[in-house]
Amino acid sequence: MAAAVVGSLTATVMPSQAAPRVASAANTPTVASTPEVVASALHNPRAVRIQSDGSILVTEAGSVPAVPCTVPGSQCLALNGSIYRIKGSTQGRVVTGLPSVQIVRADGSSVIGGAIEAEAAPGGTYRVVSGLSGTPTTRTALGSGSGALGTLSIAQGQVLGDLAAHEVAHDPDSALGNNEVFSNPWNFARDGSDFLVTDAGANDLVRVHSDGTTSTEAVFPNNVVPAAASGGAAVAPAGQAEAVPTGIVRGWDGAFYIADMSGIRTGLSRIWRYVPGGQPTVFASGLTGLIDLAVAPGGDLIALSYTGGATSSGLLPGALTRINKKTGAAATIDTGGSLNTPTGLAVSSKGDVYVTSKTQGDSGELLKFPAS
């Protein structure tokens, strides 16, 4: 389904259709199964990035507005998103006041949208990609201060590329039969002087050029929901689930690797390999709810699952998986069941794995699984 924010994707997960391929013992991860808490009391944390100076940035989508939304289907703007920085023993918010949105679901529950991923930029500034859950009309209706939503921009500054406007102008996934114009930018990666941005709502990869224009780089095909599973995605053709691309990272071979969620249906998530100028190809499959990717020392991919699946009592914990850089074979990383709705992932040059957890609310955490 076209995700507003990750929390809105927690629809019923279908029974497993495929198990991840098992890697050889040589590819077994060597990180501790018990994490350390690096930072806590984070406000709906999303992505985590390690900077060239060794500092760590966590993007916080924000909190419920002072006057919360209550009407199902409504959205309310706040300006309480942040960028949180950790450098050695020093940590705290280096940017505040980013646009944040409370989105009320049909059942009256709500999720927070806003800033998703950030990185340091020249002059002490930060680049930020922000989700939207809609179109530029949605953004305008939220009022003053909402302009960065649905864009890649400089924090509290220049818009570098408007992903929401791109979706309205082109709606690339309409060719797949998806019947909703909807944008929700998620993660980004640099490609020369340009940036490649995944749009989880639009099911595409958009190139943001250095002059601020945008172009469709790739469209990710819908996944097939097995006949035994009922309840296909509401806005895709019957029996199909929208791809919902999320994490993107440049791999050891120079290609870009992109994760998709496929509606958090168990076993249907894929990792795509993409070389600019070509077409994405499936590199690994049989995974569930993929939300981010990182590259480990040696070149293997580490994949983060928002959840390992669902039971009648709710979502299972999130999961980490090592993906062999050459074969795509998968090996589960033991996290001791500690990941609670994780959304962001980074791996240090030493092999330490950082994950944002408890990402639905103001008690979020940044966890570290030390390399052993």
Side-chain angles (χ1 to χ4, degrees), residues 175-195:
L176 305 175
N178 299 339
N179 59 11
E180 185 176 31
V181 179
F182 189 95
S183 178
N184 188 39
W186 199 257
N187 283 171
F188 67 97
R190 178 179 285 279
D191 184 25
S193 62
D194 299 342
F195 294 91

Side-chain angles (χ1 to χ4, degrees), residues 10-350:
T10 55
T12 301
V13 181
M14 302 305 168
S16 178
Q17 305 301 325
R21 289 170 285 176
V22 178
S24 68
N27 291 319
T28 301
T30 55
V31 296
S33 59
T34 302
E36 303 170 2
V37 178
V38 177
S40 57
L42 300 173
H43 302 161
N44 285 275
R46 296 293 181 254
V48 52
R49 277 200 175 194
I50 300 173
Q51 305 302 286
S52 58
D53 65 355
S55 64
I56 301 170
L57 298 181
V58 178
T59 311
E60 298 175 282
S63 303
V64 173
V67 180
C69 280
T70 57
V71 178
S74 63
Q75 298 189 23
C76 295
L77 179 70
L79 298 175
N80 54 26
S82 308
I83 300 174
Y84 193 97
R85 183 175 184 266
I86 301 105
K87 180 67 182 296
S89 60
T90 301
Q91 58 179 267
R93 294 178 177 91
V94 291
V95 174
T96 59
L98 299 177
S100 179
V101 184
Q102 180 193 10
I103 303 166
V104 184
R105 301 185 182 110
D107 64 1
S109 63
S110 66
V111 292
I112 301 298
I116 303 296
E117 185 173 37
E119 70 173 8
T125 62
Y126 297 88
R127 297 184 192 92
V128 185
V129 66
S130 298
L132 176 61
S133 183
T135 66
T137 300
T138 310
R139 179 171 64 203
T140 299
L142 288 168
S144 177
S146 64
L149 296 172
T151 75
L152 174 66
S153 62
I154 298 297
Q156 299 174 330
Q158 176 189 5
V159 171
L160 304 175
D162 192 332
L163 287 301
H166 183 90
E167 167 68 359
V168 169
H170 304 287
D171 190 17
D173 72 334
S174 63
L176 305 175
N178 299 339
N179 59 11
E180 185 176 31
V181 179
F182 189 95
S183 178
N184 188 39
W186 199 257
N187 283 171
F188 67 97
R190 178 179 285 279
D191 184 25
S193 62
D194 299 342
F195 294 91
L196 298 178
V197 185
T198 58
D199 192 323
N203 299 298
D204 57 15
L205 181 67
V206 177
R207 181 176 291 273
V208 174
H209 299 272
S210 58
D211 63 359
T213 59
T214 57
S215 59
T216 303
E217 192 78 2
V219 179
F220 297 96
N222 294 343
N223 211 329
V224 176
V225 178
S230 60
V235 294
Q240 298 182 32
E242 294 186 23
V244 190
T246 51
I248 178 172
V249 67
R250 188 188 287 272
W252 67 281
D253 56 354
F256 291 92
Y257 291 82
I258 299 107
D260 78 36
M261 295 192 86
S262 289
I264 317 187
R265 287 168 168 82
T266 304
L268 292 190
S269 277
R270 303 162 291 192
I271 298 175
W272 299 84
R273 182 179 183 272
Y274 175 66
V275 177
Q279 291 295 321
T281 57
V282 175
F283 177 70
S285 59
L287 300 155
T288 300
L290 293 183
I291 192 67
D292 206 357
L293 294 173
V295 178
D300 285 351
L301 294 172
I302 305 296
L304 175 65
S305 293
Y306 180 71
T307 175
T311 67
S312 58
S313 59
L315 292 176
L316 296 172
L320 288 171
T321 306
R322 180 182 290 264
I323 310 296
N324 184 281
K325 68 178 183 180
K326 293 185 177 180
T327 67
T332 299
I333 297 174
D334 182 10
T335 59
S338 59
L339 298 182
N340 182 342
T341 59
T343 57
L345 168 70
V347 180
S348 75
S349 59
K350 296 179 179 179

